[in-house]
């Protein structure tokens, strides 16, 4: 975003902070608890998420030809490589022989040698060597890893989980959000790893915890609420995606400062919800990704949390600083948001109350749930 846009956001964020208010929807929304507990609905949603283009990381995770990284995206093990032409490719991380994973972790490699019987694949997934060829008079001919649609867009790595799904059109998927996401340059920041949360909470309930800051003063009273305001957010939509701006406590100090002296990114956090299942949290130092996946049943989800930093992580102090920030952000979700979500899930599964309410002050929840209803309606109609 250029400075004019940032200043404009800062003006709006300062105003709601001074006025002690937040962007509001016209009315509340009553939501059946069953949208978080119905197994039938869950399975349709999981299928929808499976077919949606999936943001799986930062382009900095594949810095050069020969770089590779591995990802778990729902039940699909994915291997991503950067080929000799610099293009990103994705494959099922499943050996053509007896389906072991051919790669783990990340790094640089010319070949991926399966740990089970040593079938070996190159960067474009072709089988290039294997012991005991006489045992496989037909199976080795033209064998290779199954390629998945892949793209590099707005600084991020994307995959499609359906091998026959055709090329990914991420520009259309993101619409107006694409150029804004790209403008941050987050994809080139230093990736500092992944942490996984296995939660007994529906995937949409997990996402809801990122959809408002009304809960900061209570759930995060000793962590985020010390830095950021509660029940105070700007809300903007980009098709099915949305952006929330969470002003920091110190933003009101800007009221007495000329705009030319403002440093906008020191005064708010930006939260993007990339439909259907990705959340991105951006500050001047941090670009976090939460990849929230439907799990094994309605009341289960997996969240992969990634972080990239503007800090120089090549020296020990920078690395430690980045790790500490990542752990701080991660622990608040792990220890504060998700335990609470698990208890909400249990209450909903008890059937005690049929409905819950999204307040006017929780517009991110309204928007994402309304968009989900819309696409599932569309899916059902086909
Ligand atoms: S399963 Fe990979 S070589 Fe046998
Ligand atoms: Fe939270």
């Amino acid at each position: 975003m250029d400075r004019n846009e940032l200043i404009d956001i800062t003006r709006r964020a300062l105003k709601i902070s001074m006025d002690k208010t937040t962007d509001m929807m016209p009315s509340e929304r009553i939501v059946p608890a069953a949208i978080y507990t119905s197994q039938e609905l869950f399975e349709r949603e999981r299928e929808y998420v499976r077919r949606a283009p999936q943001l799986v990381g930062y382009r900095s995770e594949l810095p050069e030809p020969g770089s590779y990284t591995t990802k778990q995206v729902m039940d699909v093990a994915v291997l991503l490589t950067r080929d000799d032409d610099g293009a990103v490719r994705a494959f099922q991380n499943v050996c053509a022989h007896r389906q072991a994973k051919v790669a783990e972790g990340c790094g640089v490699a010319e070949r991926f040698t399966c740990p089970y019987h040593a079938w070996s694949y190159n960067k474009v997934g072709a089988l290039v060597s294997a012991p005991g060829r006489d045992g496989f008079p037909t199976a080795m001919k033209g064998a290779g890893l199954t390629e998945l649609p892949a793209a590099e867009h707005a600084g991020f790595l994307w995959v499609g989980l359906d091998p026959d799904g055709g090329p990914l059109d991420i520009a259309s998927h993101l619409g107006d959000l694409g150029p804004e996401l790209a403008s941050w340059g987050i994809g080139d920041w230093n990736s500092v790893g992944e942490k996984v949360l296995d939660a007994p909470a529906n995937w949409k309930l997990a996402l809801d915890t990122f959809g408002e800051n009304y809960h900061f003063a209570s759930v995060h009273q000793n962590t985020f609420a010390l830095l950021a305001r509660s029940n105070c957010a700007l809300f903007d939509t980009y098709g099915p995606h949305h952006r929330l701006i969470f002003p920091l406590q110190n933003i009101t100090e800007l009221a007495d400062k000329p705009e030319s002296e403002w440093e906008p990114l020191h005064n708010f956090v930006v939260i993007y919800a990339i439909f259907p299942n990705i959340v991105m949290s951006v500050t001047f130092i941090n670009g976090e990704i939460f990849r929230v996946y439907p799990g094994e049943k309605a009341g289960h989800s997996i969240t992969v949390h990634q972080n990239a930093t503007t800090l120089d992580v090549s020296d020990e102090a920078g690395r430690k600083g980045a790790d500490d920030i990542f752990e701080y952000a991660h622990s608040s979700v792990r220890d504060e948001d998700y335990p609470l979500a698990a208890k909400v899930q249990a209450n909903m599964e008890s059937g005690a109350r049929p409905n819950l309410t999204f307040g006017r002050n929780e517009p991110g929840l309204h928007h994402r749930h309304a968009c989900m209803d819309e696409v599932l309606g569309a899916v059902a109609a086909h």
Side-chain angles (χ1 to χ4, degrees):
M1 270 192 279
D2 66 25
R3 183 165 171 89
N4 286 341
E5 289 170 290
L6 289 170
I7 291 290
D8 183 53
I9 288 172
T10 312
R11 272 189 216 120
R12 290 172 57 203
L14 175 59
K15 173 143 180 42
I16 58 167
S17 300
M18 298 298 284
D19 294 350
K20 295 194 169 21
T21 185
T22 188
D23 281 356
M24 299 258 194
M25 297 300 276
S27 56
E28 296 152 287
R29 180 181 173 96
I30 306 296
V31 177
I35 67 163
Y36 299 98
T37 60
S38 158
Q39 190 62 22
E40 183 273 327
L41 178 62
F42 168 76
E43 279 164 20
R44 282 166 51 210
E45 289 169 351
R46 184 165 56 183
E47 200 44 42
Y48 178 81
V49 175
R50 243 179 165 279
R51 279 194 258 123
Q54 287 296 323
L55 187 161
V56 295
Y58 312 97
R59 77 169 164 214
S60 60
E61 293 178 78
L62 297 175
E64 58 187 286
S67 300
Y68 73 93
T69 187
T70 53
K71 302 280 175 175
Q72 188 69 32
V73 185
M74 296 201 279
D75 53 353
V76 182
V78 178
L79 166 64
L80 288 129
T81 67
R82 193 177 290 282
D83 69 19
D84 289 335
D85 298 327
V88 169
R89 288 174 175 252
F91 305 92
Q92 292 174 347
N93 189 2
V94 181
C95 182
H97 175 218
R98 279 168 51 202
Q99 306 210 5
K101 281 188 185 178
V102 301
E104 300 279 353
C106 58
V108 177
E110 279 300 311
R111 299 261 184 281
F112 302 98
T113 300
C114 179
Y116 204 171
H117 313 90
W119 287 29
S120 189
Y121 304 86
N122 65 14
K123 293 190 277 271
V124 295
L127 180 69
V128 287
S129 71
R133 280 187 167 265
D134 289 351
F136 302 88
T138 56
M140 281 187 185
K141 283 205 187 87
L145 301 174
T146 301
E147 188 151 13
L148 298 171
E152 184 173 2
H153 191 93
F156 301 97
L157 306 174
W158 301 79
V159 299
L161 298 183
D162 178 0
D164 302 318
L168 299 177
D169 184 356
I170 307 300
S172 300
H173 176 60
L174 291 176
D176 292 342
L177 183 58
E180 180 170 327
L181 277 187
S183 73
W184 290 98
I186 297 165
D188 296 320
W189 296 1
N190 298 307
S191 170
V192 290
E194 291 187 357
K195 297 175 194 258
V196 178
L197 292 165
D198 185 318
N202 180 269
W203 71 287
K204 292 178 300 186
L205 185 58
L207 280 166
D208 288 349
T209 67
F210 304 97
E212 40 84 9
N213 64 358
Y214 181 35
H215 71 282
F216 277 20
S218 37
V219 178
H220 303 305
Q221 56 181 300
N222 297 315
T223 52
F224 288 151
L226 302 174
L227 299 170
R229 306 179 82 81
S230 295
N231 204 22
C232 179
L234 300 177
F235 171 66
D236 294 281
T237 63
Y238 308 72
H241 319 293
H242 73 251
R243 182 187 71 195
L244 292 165
I245 301 286
F246 292 168
L248 299 184
Q249 297 288 10
N250 65 4
I251 195 169
T252 49
E253 293 166 16
L254 297 183
D256 305 322
K257 262 194 191 171
E259 288 185 1
S260 59
E261 290 176 23
W262 289 3
E263 290 183 88
L265 295 179
H266 290 245
N267 300 108
F268 54 79
V269 176
V270 185
I271 307 285
Y272 292 106
I274 303 171
F275 193 77
N277 65 317
I278 304 293
V279 173
M280 198 174 290
S281 166
V282 188
T283 68
F284 66 97
I285 204 169
N286 246 25
E288 293 171 65
I289 299 169
F290 296 88
R291 297 155 36 205
V292 181
Y293 300 123
E296 288 163 8
K297 57 179 183 171
H300 177 236
S301 59
I302 299 284
T303 299
V304 182
H305 183 189
Q306 293 193 244
N307 194 17
T309 178
T310 52
L311 293 172
D312 177 2
V313 293
S314 61
D315 71 84
E316 209 173 304
R319 179 78 213 190
K320 180 161 184 344
D323 286 346
D324 288 351
I325 292 170
F326 189 15
E327 181 54 26
Y328 170 79
H330 186 72
S331 63
S332 65
V333 177
R334 181 192 61 211
D335 302 339
E336 296 174 0
D337 291 296
Y338 277 25
L340 200 132
K343 290 176 189 165
V344 171
Q345 184 74 33
N347 272 349
M348 291 193 295
E349 286 179 1
S350 78
R353 294 178 75 100
N355 298 319
L356 49 151
T357 307
F358 295 161
R360 293 181 57 219
N361 57 337
E362 300 174 303
L365 308 187
H366 288 243
H367 186 63
R368 192 167 39 72
H369 283 261
C371 292
M372 200 69 217
D373 287 354
E374 201 176 307
V375 297
L376 285 188
V379 167
H382 279 91

